[in-house]
């Protein structure tokens, strides 16, 4: 959120008339529905938005992305083909500027997990988006919402689904032709729903589960969601309504777990539903077993209490099914697993910033914000090239670990999850490569200069703000200097107490990290030299 500013009132009837005239002129210059459109994508740093952008580009559209932190998009392979503008959907001015000249505006953001007032935030953002789209003469708005159960009063829905339904109504009432696509569980590599299904099934051969595992669901493959989102850019102006979207299979969550196990080659899972696990307890259970934090797991679990099945397939009249029809569940799982195994997950549920996580950049002033900035510095000369050292630095975290006292890192991760944080289970999007904005266990990549600098910002629960900076600097020969900084800006007395309570362990944690990273780089260098020497030896009979 960047501003509490609201739309200014019209000063006179003539100003309203001028605005209407300007909007009409802009609308006349826009692309027709059958042509390549100028698209605005919100949520491009998130899971679906980050995948939608290249699909729109490949379909012949031009794309502008609205992002609170444009730097998070700079390392995406499609970044050079788009326009990125800074803004926030709760800031009317930035939304209005981003809408200028746009034909189709995609609304792919929500305030899930930001606190108890998330529905009010969603409502306000949708109202701003709707008003600004109308004022700018946007030809179409496209929104991805949640599939709601038939015959269930809205007041009985989960807060998450109620909010998604309300946002859909606001956008449909904007006066701009709007399409609301309503989906249930989305199956794709890196989606929160898929990660939840994957980890529950892989880690628990015997499960005592909530009763909602017997609820019928109509999942949909992410590639079908993207196909429909792209297709909506070319809909005729008279189409203004909501559509249910889903795959060809109607399954219970128990069916989904068993079929996932079969596709993944796992033994058949024993699943024992019990009625005593409430959504709150379910979210704790999901949080313990999967990388999905409780703040996201709870609304996902609550949304599964009711049957969510498509009541119509009218969207196919405008965006026809591909040859062979929508992707079946088993095939969607197979495709997602292949992406995971081949380390080709382009976006993850954690691509978007964690709600409530700090986003302040690293301070350059030691007295930043009028307080202390504690620093732990380590420096070692490494008998390895900068390339070998950088490979270790960029590969840190996830399955590779943190190169020091694994138990201490594990305990810190468990404590973080216990207090509602993300813990260490988010891992990495890619086993070898990082880009700005990537989540990395309980850190996020704030800055990366390939071959030289990696700066991480902490997203664990802390009484302050923290960063970890790893640097590889040349030493003039075959050696490299490894420099490491851990920085902490305390918040209040508790923050100062926290730093001094953990500082005695820094020599073990941070000192061990520096030494082990240096050793790993030297080992990598030696292995490379040995392989090169072996390749140069003549073959022996």
């Amino acid at each position: 959120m960047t501003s509490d500013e609201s739309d200014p009132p019209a000063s006179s009837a003539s100003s309203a008339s001028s605005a209407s005239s300007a909007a009409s002129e802009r609308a006349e210059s826009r692309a027709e529905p059958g042509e390549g459109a100028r698209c605005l994508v919100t949520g491009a740093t998130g899971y679906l938005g980050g995948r939608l952008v290249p699909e729109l580009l490949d379909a012949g559209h031009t794309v502008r992305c609205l992002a609170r932190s444009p730097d998070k998009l700079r390392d995406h392979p499609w970044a050079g083909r788009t326009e990125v503008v800074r803004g926030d959907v709760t800031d009317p001015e930035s939304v209005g500027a981003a809408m200028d000249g746009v034909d189709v505006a995609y609304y792919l953001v929500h305030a899930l997990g930001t606190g108890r007032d998330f529905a009010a935030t969603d409502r306000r953002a949708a109202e701003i988006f709707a008003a600004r789209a109308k004022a700018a003469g946007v030809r179409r708005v496209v929104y991805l919402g949640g599939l709601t159960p038939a015959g269930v009063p809205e007041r009985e829905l989960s807060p998450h689904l109620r909010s998604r339904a309300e946002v859909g109504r606001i956008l449909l009432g904007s006066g701009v032709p709007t399409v609301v696509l309503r989906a249930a569980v989305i199956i794709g590599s890196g989606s929160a729903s898929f990660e939840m299904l994957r980890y529950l099934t892989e880690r628990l051969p015997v499960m005592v589960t909530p009763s909602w595992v017997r609820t019928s669901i109509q999942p949909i493959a992410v590639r079908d969601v993207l196909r429909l989102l792209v297709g909506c850019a070319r809909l005729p102006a008279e189409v203004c309504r909501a559509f249910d979207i889903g795959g060809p299979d109607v399954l219970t969550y128990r069916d989904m777990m068993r079929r996932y196990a079969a596709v993944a080659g796992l033994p058949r899972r024993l699943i024992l539903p019990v009625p005593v696990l409430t959504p709150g307890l379910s979210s704790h259970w999901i949080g313990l077993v999967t990388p999905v934090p409780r703040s996201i797991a709870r609304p996902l679990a609550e949304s599964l209490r009711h049957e969510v099945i498509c009541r119509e397939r009218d969207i196919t009249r405008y965006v026809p099914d591909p040859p062979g029809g929508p992707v079946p569940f088993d095939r969607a799982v197979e495709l997602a697993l292949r992406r995971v195994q081949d380390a080709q997950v382009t976006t993850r549920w954690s691509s978007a910033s964690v709600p409530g996580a700090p986003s302040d950049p690293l301070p350059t002033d030691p007295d930043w914000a009028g307080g202390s900035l504690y620093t732990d510095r380590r420096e070692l000369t490494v008998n390895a090239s900068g390339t070998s050292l950088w490979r270790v630095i960029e590969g840190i975290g996830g399955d590779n670990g943190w190169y020091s006292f694994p138990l201490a890192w594990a305990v810190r991760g468990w404590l973080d999850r216990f207090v509602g944080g993300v813990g260490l289970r988010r891992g990495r999007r890619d086993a070898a490569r990082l880009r700005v904005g990537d989540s990395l266990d309980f850190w996020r990549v704030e800055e990366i200069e390939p071959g030289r600098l990696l700066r991480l910002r902490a997203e664990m629960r802390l009484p302050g703000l923290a960063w970890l900076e790893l640097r590889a600097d040349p030493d003039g020969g075959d050696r490299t200097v490894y420099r490491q900084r851990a920085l902490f800006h305390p918040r209040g007395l508790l923050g100062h107490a926290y730093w001094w309570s953990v500082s005695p362990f820094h020599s073990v944690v941070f000192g061990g990290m520096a030494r082990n990273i240096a050793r790993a780089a030297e080992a990598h260098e030696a292995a490379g030299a040995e392989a090169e020497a072996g390749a140069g030896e003549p073959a022996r009979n």
Side-chain angles (χ1 to χ4, degrees):
M1 280 162 274
T2 59
S3 172
D4 288 329
E5 183 184 350
S6 59
D7 289 326
S11 58
S12 66
S14 62
S15 65
S17 175
S18 298
S20 176
S21 175
S24 297
E25 290 175 7
R26 289 194 298 268
E28 288 175 4
S29 68
R30 288 188 164 92
E32 293 300 319
E35 302 174 357
R38 282 163 285 191
C39 300
L40 174 68
V41 176
T42 62
T45 58
Y47 174 71
L48 271 170
R51 297 190 181 205
L52 176 62
V53 170
E55 296 289 334
L56 288 170
L57 292 169
D58 290 346
H61 304 296
T62 57
V63 177
R64 176 184 296 160
C65 301
L66 177 69
R68 285 177 295 178
S69 303
D71 280 350
K72 289 184 179 180
L73 298 177
R74 76 175 196 208
D75 295 331
H76 286 257
W78 43 259
R81 301 163 61 196
T82 65
E83 178 189 2
V84 181
V85 297
R86 186 184 300 276
D88 191 299
V89 290
T90 60
D91 174 18
E93 185 176 346
S94 65
V95 173
M99 292 280 190
D100 187 51
V102 164
D103 299 304
V104 181
Y106 285 89
Y107 192 77
L108 301 176
V109 295
H110 56 80
L112 174 64
T114 57
R116 293 185 178 181
D117 60 346
F118 79 92
T121 304
D122 272 339
R123 183 184 310 115
R124 180 167 176 268
E127 289 170 348
I128 290 170
F129 198 82
R132 293 298 176 162
K134 176 67 173 175
V138 170
R139 176 165 57 79
R140 173 162 301 285
V141 169
V142 182
Y143 169 59
L144 180 67
L147 187 58
T148 53
V152 178
E154 192 167 301
R155 65 180 180 277
E156 295 181 16
L157 298 178
S158 69
H160 165 58
L161 279 182
R162 279 203 307 271
S163 177
R164 301 302 287 270
E166 182 182 31
V167 168
R169 285 197 304 274
I170 291 169
L171 296 177
L172 284 167
S174 65
V176 178
T178 296
V179 165
V180 175
L181 300 181
R182 300 187 297 202
V185 171
I186 296 176
I187 301 297
S189 61
S191 77
S193 296
F194 178 73
E195 293 285 279
M196 192 170 98
L197 173 68
R198 174 186 166 205
Y199 280 89
L200 287 176
T201 308
E202 290 185 354
R203 292 183 172 176
L204 298 176
V206 178
M207 286 175 271
V208 176
T209 60
S211 58
W212 50 252
V213 299
R214 293 178 291 201
T215 302
S216 294
I217 307 162
Q218 192 163 354
I220 184 170
V222 67
R223 63 173 53 192
D224 281 324
V225 175
L226 294 171
R227 175 179 57 81
L228 292 168
L229 285 170
V230 172
C232 286
R234 301 187 187 274
L235 293 184
E238 63 269 17
V239 179
C240 184
R241 55 165 290 188
F243 295 94
D244 293 350
I245 62 171
D249 302 291
V250 176
L251 306 163
T252 65
Y253 205 86
R254 176 166 53 184
D255 294 334
M256 290 167 59
M257 287 190 286
R258 285 177 172 164
R259 288 173 69 162
Y260 176 96
V263 173
L266 302 172
R268 182 178 175 85
R269 272 30 193 165
L270 180 60
I271 302 167
L272 306 172
V274 295
V276 295
L277 286 179
T278 64
L281 290 174
S282 295
S283 66
H284 283 284
W285 172 65
I286 293 167
L288 286 172
V289 179
T290 81
V292 181
R294 193 165 70 240
S295 60
I296 295 176
R298 176 157 189 158
L300 289 177
E302 287 177 333
S303 300
L304 297 171
R305 287 184 300 165
H306 301 290
E307 183 176 274
V308 278
I309 298 173
C310 296
R311 298 184 289 276
E312 42 82 13
R313 295 191 69 244
D314 296 348
I315 190 64
T316 58
R317 282 190 273 163
Y318 306 99
V319 186
D321 287 339
V327 180
F329 175 80
D330 290 359
R331 177 62 175 160
V333 169
E334 180 186 342
L335 291 169
L337 283 175
R338 186 184 303 166
R339 287 272 187 177
V340 171
Q341 292 158 2
D342 294 344
Q344 293 182 344
V345 180
T346 54
T347 61
R348 299 179 66 212
W349 61 271
S350 56
S351 298
S353 296
V354 175
S359 58
D360 306 67
L362 176 69
T364 55
D365 182 356
D367 295 322
W368 176 65
S372 303
L373 184 65
Y374 293 115
T375 305
D376 180 278
R377 299 177 186 269
R378 309 282 164 170
E379 182 175 312
L380 289 173
T381 300
V382 184
N383 293 312
S385 65
T387 301
S388 294
L389 178 56
W390 179 253
R391 182 167 296 186
V392 177
I393 290 174
E394 192 175 10
I396 201 167
D399 292 339
N400 295 327
W402 292 89
Y403 292 94
S404 72
F405 202 7
L407 181 60
W409 286 90
V411 168
R412 186 63 185 86
W414 295 334
L415 289 173
D416 192 55
R417 291 183 73 85
F418 180 76
V419 296
V422 295
L424 289 172
R425 289 191 182 145
R426 292 191 303 184
R428 299 172 53 108
R429 177 190 57 83
D430 185 289
R433 298 287 180 265
L434 292 173
R435 64 190 184 202
V436 170
D438 271 359
S439 60
L440 180 59
D441 293 329
F442 47 38
W443 305 88
R444 189 169 296 276
V445 179
E446 180 177 277
E447 182 57 83
I448 186 167
E449 298 176 18
R452 182 173 176 269
L453 169 71
L454 173 64
R455 183 183 302 137
L456 307 174
R457 186 182 69 247
E459 290 191 335
M460 75 278 282
R461 298 296 178 92
L462 288 170
L465 303 171
W467 297 264
L468 178 62
E469 190 174 86
L470 315 178
R471 184 186 295 267
D473 291 326
D475 193 32
D478 295 332
R479 302 191 304 176
T480 310
V481 178
Y482 172 69
R483 291 187 170 93
Q484 175 182 297
R485 287 197 305 167
L487 304 102
F488 182 69
H489 180 78
R491 185 168 54 243
L493 182 60
L494 183 59
H496 290 275
Y498 172 82
W499 175 264
W500 290 112
S501 68
V502 298
S503 59
F505 303 99
H506 285 175
S507 60
V508 176
V509 176
F510 293 128
M513 174 187 290
R515 291 189 296 272
N516 290 330
I517 285 177
R519 288 171 188 154
E522 290 169 350
H524 183 272
E525 182 89 353
E530 185 177 334
E532 186 176 335
E537 290 181 2
R540 298 179 180 177
N541 294 325

